[in-house]
Tab-separated table of all heavy atoms in Angstrom:
chain	number	residue	atom	x	y	z
A	1	VAL	N	0.814	-1.199	-0.017
A	1	VAL	CA	-0.026	0.040	-0.001
A	1	VAL	C	0.873	1.251	0.058
A	1	VAL	O	1.797	1.332	0.842
A	1	VAL	CB	-0.966	-0.005	1.256
A	1	VAL	CG1	-1.828	1.277	1.164
A	1	VAL	CG2	-1.796	-1.213	1.253
A	2	GLU	N	0.595	2.155	-0.979
A	2	GLU	CA	1.388	3.387	-0.988
A	2	GLU	C	0.397	4.556	-0.810
A	2	GLU	O	-0.694	4.564	-1.379
A	2	GLU	CB	1.988	3.565	-2.430
A	2	GLU	CG	2.960	2.440	-2.742
A	2	GLU	CD	3.303	2.475	-4.238
A	2	GLU	OE1	4.114	3.323	-4.684
A	2	GLU	OE2	2.769	1.667	-5.007
A	3	MET	N	0.754	5.425	0.117
A	3	MET	CA	-0.161	6.528	0.493
A	3	MET	C	0.571	7.887	0.379
A	3	MET	O	1.638	7.995	0.955
A	3	MET	CB	-0.680	6.378	1.915
A	3	MET	CG	-1.692	5.219	2.019
A	3	MET	SD	-2.310	5.051	3.738
A	3	MET	CE	-3.409	3.645	3.595
A	4	ASN	N	0.001	8.825	-0.252
A	4	ASN	CA	0.437	10.220	-0.325
A	4	ASN	C	-0.603	11.128	0.311
A	4	ASN	O	-1.794	11.168	-0.142
A	4	ASN	CB	0.767	10.644	-1.746
A	4	ASN	CG	2.010	10.053	-2.270
A	4	ASN	OD1	3.058	10.277	-1.791
A	4	ASN	ND2	1.837	9.255	-3.345
A	5	ARG	N	-0.209	11.839	1.386
A	5	ARG	CA	-1.157	12.675	2.009
A	5	ARG	C	-1.402	13.899	1.175
A	5	ARG	O	-0.539	14.594	0.687
A	5	ARG	CB	-0.571	13.109	3.426
A	5	ARG	CG	-1.583	13.905	4.248
A	5	ARG	CD	-1.055	14.113	5.654
A	5	ARG	NE	-2.045	14.841	6.461
A	5	ARG	CZ	-1.880	15.065	7.784
A	5	ARG	NH1	-0.823	14.605	8.325
A	5	ARG	NH2	-2.800	15.747	8.397
A	6	VAL	N	-2.746	14.184	0.935
A	6	VAL	CA	-3.145	15.261	0.034
A	6	VAL	C	-4.013	16.293	0.797
A	6	VAL	O	-4.374	17.325	0.134
A	6	VAL	CB	-3.848	14.768	-1.205
A	6	VAL	CG1	-2.939	13.927	-2.003
A	6	VAL	CG2	-5.166	13.927	-0.794
A	7	ASP	N	-4.356	16.118	2.053
A	7	ASP	CA	-5.285	17.108	2.656
A	7	ASP	C	-4.705	18.453	2.792
A	7	ASP	O	-5.352	19.480	2.683
A	7	ASP	CB	-5.723	16.557	4.062
A	7	ASP	CG	-4.550	16.014	4.927
A	7	ASP	OD1	-3.434	16.047	4.475
A	7	ASP	OD2	-4.899	15.610	6.040
A	8	ARG	N	-3.360	18.568	3.056
A	8	ARG	CA	-2.645	19.854	3.070
A	8	ARG	C	-2.831	20.578	1.673
A	8	ARG	O	-3.091	21.754	1.662
A	8	ARG	CB	-1.201	19.700	3.416
A	8	ARG	CG	-0.451	20.995	3.450
A	8	ARG	CD	0.980	20.769	4.078
A	8	ARG	NE	1.688	22.056	4.008
A	8	ARG	CZ	2.305	22.529	2.941
A	8	ARG	NH1	2.328	21.885	1.792
A	8	ARG	NH2	2.940	23.676	3.014
A	9	HIS	N	-2.638	19.856	0.587
A	9	HIS	CA	-2.766	20.446	-0.717
A	9	HIS	C	-4.206	20.856	-0.934
A	9	HIS	O	-4.556	21.980	-1.587
A	9	HIS	CB	-2.261	19.526	-1.764
A	9	HIS	CG	-0.868	19.046	-1.633
A	9	HIS	ND1	0.210	19.961	-1.782
A	9	HIS	CD2	-0.297	17.863	-1.303
A	9	HIS	CE1	1.380	19.328	-1.531
A	9	HIS	NE2	1.062	18.048	-1.260
A	10	LEU	N	-5.145	20.059	-0.594
A	10	LEU	CA	-6.549	20.401	-0.667
A	10	LEU	C	-6.941	21.605	0.102
A	10	LEU	O	-7.701	22.396	-0.382
A	10	LEU	CB	-7.419	19.171	-0.336
A	10	LEU	CG	-7.384	17.917	-1.250
A	10	LEU	CD1	-8.098	16.775	-0.511
A	10	LEU	CD2	-7.932	18.221	-2.558
A	11	ARG	N	-6.383	21.715	1.265
A	11	ARG	CA	-6.716	22.795	2.165
A	11	ARG	C	-6.152	24.111	1.522
A	11	ARG	O	-6.850	25.141	1.504
A	11	ARG	CB	-6.089	22.609	3.607
A	11	ARG	CG	-6.345	23.872	4.492
A	11	ARG	CD	-5.572	23.631	5.852
A	11	ARG	NE	-4.141	23.600	5.671
A	11	ARG	CZ	-3.466	24.605	5.540
A	11	ARG	NH1	-3.958	25.912	5.465
A	11	ARG	NH2	-2.076	24.556	5.348
A	12	ILE	N	-4.880	24.071	1.026
A	12	ILE	CA	-4.284	25.181	0.436
A	12	ILE	C	-5.116	25.652	-0.820
A	12	ILE	O	-5.386	26.866	-1.035
A	12	ILE	CB	-2.831	25.013	0.099
A	12	ILE	CG1	-2.012	24.876	1.360
A	12	ILE	CG2	-2.231	26.086	-0.830
A	12	ILE	CD1	-0.575	24.404	1.064
A	13	SER	N	-5.468	24.705	-1.658
A	13	SER	CA	-6.338	24.985	-2.811
A	13	SER	C	-7.690	25.591	-2.372
A	13	SER	O	-8.157	26.587	-2.969
A	13	SER	CB	-6.567	23.674	-3.567
A	13	SER	OG	-7.430	23.879	-4.692
A	14	ARG	N	-8.305	25.087	-1.302
A	14	ARG	CA	-9.605	25.643	-0.861
A	14	ARG	C	-9.406	27.064	-0.389
A	14	ARG	O	-10.169	27.984	-0.643
A	14	ARG	CB	-10.131	24.764	0.213
A	14	ARG	CG	-11.479	25.145	0.713
A	14	ARG	CD	-12.070	24.210	1.734
A	14	ARG	NE	-11.291	24.193	2.915
A	14	ARG	CZ	-10.563	23.157	3.402
A	14	ARG	NH1	-10.488	22.062	2.677
A	14	ARG	NH2	-9.879	23.229	4.515
A	15	GLU	N	-8.272	27.301	0.353
A	15	GLU	CA	-7.958	28.650	0.894
A	15	GLU	C	-7.817	29.600	-0.216
A	15	GLU	O	-8.300	30.717	-0.218
A	15	GLU	CB	-6.805	28.646	1.785
A	15	GLU	CG	-7.057	27.886	3.124
A	15	GLU	CD	-5.789	27.782	3.964
A	15	GLU	OE1	-4.735	28.187	3.437
A	15	GLU	OE2	-5.871	27.291	5.120
A	16	GLU	N	-7.068	29.241	-1.285
A	16	GLU	CA	-6.863	30.049	-2.399
A	16	GLU	C	-8.193	30.443	-3.108
A	16	GLU	O	-8.343	31.597	-3.464
A	16	GLU	CB	-5.936	29.394	-3.436
A	16	GLU	CG	-4.472	29.379	-2.939
A	16	GLU	CD	-3.638	28.543	-3.877
A	16	GLU	OE1	-4.090	27.926	-4.834
A	16	GLU	OE2	-2.323	28.576	-3.767
A	17	GLY	N	-9.040	29.468	-3.114
A	17	GLY	CA	-10.342	29.674	-3.698
A	17	GLY	C	-11.239	30.713	-2.920
A	17	GLY	O	-11.859	31.503	-3.436
A	18	LEU	N	-11.110	30.566	-1.540
A	18	LEU	CA	-11.814	31.486	-0.661
A	18	LEU	C	-11.331	32.937	-0.830
A	18	LEU	O	-12.119	33.898	-0.957
A	18	LEU	CB	-11.685	31.120	0.732
A	18	LEU	CG	-12.550	29.924	1.273
A	18	LEU	CD1	-12.264	29.451	2.664
A	18	LEU	CD2	-14.084	30.360	1.162
A	19	ILE	N	-9.967	33.063	-0.904
A	19	ILE	CA	-9.360	34.329	-1.069
A	19	ILE	C	-9.783	34.961	-2.367
A	19	ILE	O	-10.082	36.162	-2.539
A	19	ILE	CB	-7.833	34.308	-0.892
A	19	ILE	CG1	-7.480	33.880	0.524
A	19	ILE	CG2	-7.191	35.589	-1.219
A	19	ILE	CD1	-6.028	33.538	0.770
A	20	GLU	N	-9.686	34.162	-3.448
A	20	GLU	CA	-10.063	34.650	-4.802
A	20	GLU	C	-11.522	35.037	-4.909
A	20	GLU	O	-11.901	35.972	-5.483
A	20	GLU	CB	-9.738	33.594	-5.848
A	20	GLU	CG	-8.214	33.422	-6.108
A	20	GLU	CD	-7.881	32.233	-7.000
A	20	GLU	OE1	-8.848	31.613	-7.459
A	20	GLU	OE2	-6.683	31.966	-7.218
A	21	GLN	N	-12.298	34.132	-4.244
A	21	GLN	CA	-13.768	34.442	-4.166
A	21	GLN	C	-14.066	35.713	-3.567
A	21	GLN	O	-14.873	36.602	-4.049
A	21	GLN	CB	-14.457	33.321	-3.517
A	21	GLN	CG	-15.984	33.390	-3.331
A	21	GLN	CD	-16.539	32.385	-2.440
A	21	GLN	OE1	-16.719	32.636	-1.267
A	21	GLN	NE2	-16.944	31.244	-2.974
A	22	ASN	N	-13.421	35.913	-2.392
A	22	ASN	CA	-13.642	37.228	-1.629
A	22	ASN	C	-13.212	38.440	-2.420
A	22	ASN	O	-13.872	39.445	-2.525
A	22	ASN	CB	-12.920	37.187	-0.261
A	22	ASN	CG	-13.336	38.297	0.628
A	22	ASN	OD1	-14.503	38.566	0.906
A	22	ASN	ND2	-12.347	39.077	1.025
A	23	THR	N	-12.075	38.333	-3.103
A	23	THR	CA	-11.581	39.507	-3.893
A	23	THR	C	-12.502	39.788	-5.101
A	23	THR	O	-12.825	40.904	-5.302
A	23	THR	CB	-10.138	39.083	-4.406
A	23	THR	OG1	-9.310	38.884	-3.294
A	23	THR	CG2	-9.578	40.326	-5.249
A	24	ALA	N	-12.876	38.705	-5.795
A	24	ALA	CA	-13.775	38.846	-6.902
A	24	ALA	C	-15.163	39.441	-6.499
A	24	ALA	O	-15.685	40.336	-7.168
A	24	ALA	CB	-14.010	37.508	-7.627
A	25	MET	N	-15.660	39.027	-5.351
A	25	MET	CA	-16.948	39.572	-4.885
A	25	MET	C	-16.876	40.995	-4.492
A	25	MET	O	-17.787	41.741	-4.781
A	25	MET	CB	-17.471	38.690	-3.684
A	25	MET	CG	-18.000	37.307	-4.097
A	25	MET	SD	-19.296	37.356	-5.348
A	25	MET	CE	-20.563	38.335	-4.594
A	26	ARG	N	-15.741	41.320	-3.879
A	26	ARG	CA	-15.559	42.787	-3.455
A	26	ARG	C	-15.487	43.707	-4.700
A	26	ARG	O	-16.058	44.752	-4.730
A	26	ARG	CB	-14.356	42.865	-2.621
A	26	ARG	CG	-14.473	42.517	-1.190
A	26	ARG	CD	-13.180	42.502	-0.375
A	26	ARG	NE	-12.720	43.897	-0.380
A	26	ARG	CZ	-13.094	44.760	0.574
A	26	ARG	NH1	-14.000	44.556	1.459
A	26	ARG	NH2	-12.530	46.036	0.593
A	27	GLN	N	-14.803	43.178	-5.807
A	27	GLN	CA	-14.728	43.961	-7.045
A	27	GLN	C	-16.143	44.064	-7.675
A	27	GLN	O	-16.497	45.154	-8.176
A	27	GLN	CB	-13.742	43.291	-7.931
A	27	GLN	CG	-12.251	43.401	-7.496
A	27	GLN	CD	-11.338	42.644	-8.392
A	27	GLN	OE1	-11.773	41.809	-9.199
A	27	GLN	NE2	-10.083	42.901	-8.167
A	28	LEU	N	-16.859	42.986	-7.653
A	28	LEU	CA	-18.173	43.017	-8.249
A	28	LEU	C	-19.138	43.898	-7.480
A	28	LEU	O	-19.867	44.737	-8.072
A	28	LEU	CB	-18.762	41.595	-8.245
A	28	LEU	CG	-20.241	41.492	-8.724
A	28	LEU	CD1	-20.364	41.852	-10.190
A	28	LEU	CD2	-20.644	40.025	-8.559
A	29	VAL	N	-19.040	43.905	-6.108
A	29	VAL	CA	-19.914	44.649	-5.317
A	29	VAL	C	-19.565	46.155	-5.437
A	29	VAL	O	-20.478	47.028	-5.522
A	29	VAL	CB	-19.832	44.259	-3.834
A	29	VAL	CG1	-20.525	45.252	-2.908
A	29	VAL	CG2	-20.514	42.853	-3.673
A	30	ARG	N	-18.293	46.435	-5.549
A	30	ARG	CA	-17.836	47.859	-5.695
A	30	ARG	C	-18.398	48.470	-7.050
A	30	ARG	O	-18.858	49.601	-7.109
A	30	ARG	CB	-16.366	48.044	-5.685
A	30	ARG	CG	-15.869	47.841	-4.273
A	30	ARG	CD	-14.289	48.211	-4.171
A	30	ARG	NE	-13.833	47.817	-2.852
A	30	ARG	CZ	-14.070	48.656	-1.781
A	30	ARG	NH1	-14.773	49.656	-1.868
A	30	ARG	NH2	-13.593	48.266	-0.545
A	31	GLY	N	-18.399	47.578	-8.079
A	31	GLY	CA	-18.860	47.984	-9.315
A	31	GLY	C	-20.433	48.217	-9.328
A	31	GLY	O	-20.944	49.194	-9.740
A	32	LEU	N	-21.167	47.322	-8.615
A	32	LEU	CA	-22.565	47.480	-8.480
A	32	LEU	C	-22.932	48.690	-7.592
A	32	LEU	O	-23.957	49.394	-7.916
A	32	LEU	CB	-23.169	46.229	-7.931
A	32	LEU	CG	-23.287	44.938	-8.797
A	32	LEU	CD1	-23.711	43.752	-8.025
A	32	LEU	CD2	-24.221	45.203	-9.922
A	33	ALA	N	-22.109	48.869	-6.553
A	33	ALA	CA	-22.366	49.967	-5.667
A	33	ALA	C	-22.304	51.322	-6.450
A	33	ALA	O	-23.177	52.175	-6.185
A	33	ALA	CB	-21.363	50.002	-4.490
A	34	HIS	N	-21.403	51.486	-7.306
A	34	HIS	CA	-21.267	52.641	-8.036
A	34	HIS	C	-22.514	52.921	-8.941
A	34	HIS	O	-23.064	54.052	-9.018
A	34	HIS	CB	-20.043	52.676	-8.945
A	34	HIS	CG	-19.849	53.864	-9.878
A	34	HIS	ND1	-19.451	55.065	-9.350
A	34	HIS	CD2	-20.120	54.041	-11.141
A	34	HIS	CE1	-19.406	55.956	-10.275
A	34	HIS	NE2	-19.723	55.369	-11.424
A	35	GLU	N	-23.005	51.810	-9.517
A	35	GLU	CA	-24.147	51.949	-10.350
A	35	GLU	C	-25.471	52.158	-9.554
A	35	GLU	O	-26.480	52.790	-10.130
A	35	GLU	CB	-24.272	50.635	-11.232
A	35	GLU	CG	-23.197	50.369	-12.202
A	35	GLU	CD	-23.078	51.465	-13.232
A	35	GLU	OE1	-24.142	51.996	-13.675
A	35	GLU	OE2	-21.908	51.825	-13.577
A	36	ILE	N	-25.494	51.737	-8.336
A	36	ILE	CA	-26.697	51.906	-7.486
A	36	ILE	C	-26.639	53.187	-6.769
A	36	ILE	O	-27.732	53.908	-6.696
A	36	ILE	CB	-26.790	50.723	-6.492
A	36	ILE	CG1	-27.066	49.444	-7.253
A	36	ILE	CG2	-27.878	51.022	-5.489
A	36	ILE	CD1	-26.984	48.187	-6.320
A	37	LYS	N	-25.556	53.625	-6.265
A	37	LYS	CA	-25.503	54.824	-5.354
A	37	LYS	C	-25.745	56.149	-6.126
A	37	LYS	O	-26.332	57.103	-5.600
A	37	LYS	CB	-24.179	54.916	-4.656
A	37	LYS	CG	-24.089	53.796	-3.558
A	37	LYS	CD	-22.702	53.790	-2.918
A	37	LYS	CE	-22.489	54.800	-1.820
A	37	LYS	NZ	-21.250	54.625	-1.131
A	38	ASN	N	-25.338	56.178	-7.440
A	38	ASN	CA	-25.492	57.329	-8.166
A	38	ASN	C	-27.007	57.690	-8.429
A	38	ASN	O	-27.443	58.820	-8.084
A	38	ASN	CB	-24.826	57.299	-9.526
A	38	ASN	CG	-23.261	57.615	-9.411
A	38	ASN	OD1	-22.876	58.075	-8.378
A	38	ASN	ND2	-22.501	57.210	-10.432
A	39	PRO	N	-27.830	56.736	-8.959
A	39	PRO	CA	-29.287	57.035	-9.073
A	39	PRO	C	-29.886	57.220	-7.721
A	39	PRO	O	-30.891	57.992	-7.673
A	39	PRO	CB	-29.803	55.809	-9.892
A	39	PRO	CG	-28.793	54.801	-9.715
A	39	PRO	CD	-27.495	55.468	-9.523
A	40	LEU	N	-29.450	56.528	-6.695
A	40	LEU	CA	-30.034	56.708	-5.290
A	40	LEU	C	-29.827	58.186	-4.889
A	40	LEU	O	-30.767	58.783	-4.283
A	40	LEU	CB	-29.400	55.757	-4.335
A	40	LEU	CG	-30.023	54.318	-4.271
A	40	LEU	CD1	-29.249	53.621	-3.179
A	40	LEU	CD2	-31.489	54.356	-3.886
A	41	GLY	N	-28.690	58.674	-5.084
A	41	GLY	CA	-28.410	60.103	-4.767
A	41	GLY	C	-29.327	61.068	-5.460
A	41	GLY	O	-29.838	61.989	-4.916
A	42	GLY	N	-29.530	60.782	-6.798
A	42	GLY	CA	-30.379	61.632	-7.543
A	42	GLY	C	-31.814	61.530	-7.093
A	42	GLY	O	-32.574	62.498	-6.936
A	43	LEU	N	-32.230	60.288	-6.720
A	43	LEU	CA	-33.551	60.114	-6.203
A	43	LEU	C	-33.863	60.755	-4.909
A	43	LEU	O	-34.862	61.442	-4.681
A	43	LEU	CB	-33.825	58.593	-6.064
A	43	LEU	CG	-35.232	58.062	-5.648
A	43	LEU	CD1	-36.184	58.323	-6.648
A	43	LEU	CD2	-35.202	56.568	-5.245
A	44	ARG	N	-32.894	60.669	-3.996
A	44	ARG	CA	-32.990	61.340	-2.738
A	44	ARG	C	-33.034	62.850	-2.829
A	44	ARG	O	-33.819	63.567	-2.260
A	44	ARG	CB	-31.797	60.891	-1.800
A	44	ARG	CG	-31.929	61.301	-0.411
A	44	ARG	CD	-30.696	60.966	0.419
A	44	ARG	NE	-30.914	61.073	1.870
A	44	ARG	CZ	-30.883	62.128	2.544
A	44	ARG	NH1	-30.687	63.345	1.948
A	44	ARG	NH2	-31.096	62.202	3.887
A	45	GLY	N	-32.151	63.347	-3.758
A	45	GLY	CA	-32.111	64.847	-3.954
A	45	GLY	C	-33.439	65.338	-4.535
A	45	GLY	O	-33.916	66.412	-4.154
């Protein structure tokens, strides 16, 4: 029986995915925020 431990590699891959996901979502939300806040300011005014 030959065994290679892969949980550390899986964890690192999962962590990279979480970091990339968070970065991508922040960029998306910032873009949406700009599109939403401008008309909201006009509506409020």
Side-chain angles (χ1 to χ4, degrees):
V1 180
E2 302 165 75
M3 293 182 178
N4 286 299
R5 188 169 178 176
V6 297
D7 46 0
R8 179 175 177 273
H9 302 293
L10 293 172
R11 180 185 62 78
I12 291 173
S13 177
R14 184 177 65 249
E15 289 176 355
E16 289 176 349
L18 282 172
I19 293 170
E20 291 173 2
Q21 179 191 90
N22 188 57
T23 301
M25 287 304 303
R26 282 175 64 84
Q27 291 174 346
L28 174 63
V29 169
R30 288 190 185 281
L32 288 173
H34 178 74
E35 296 299 322
I36 293 172
K37 290 174 79 172
N38 281 346
L40 274 181
L43 184 67
R44 189 182 194 283

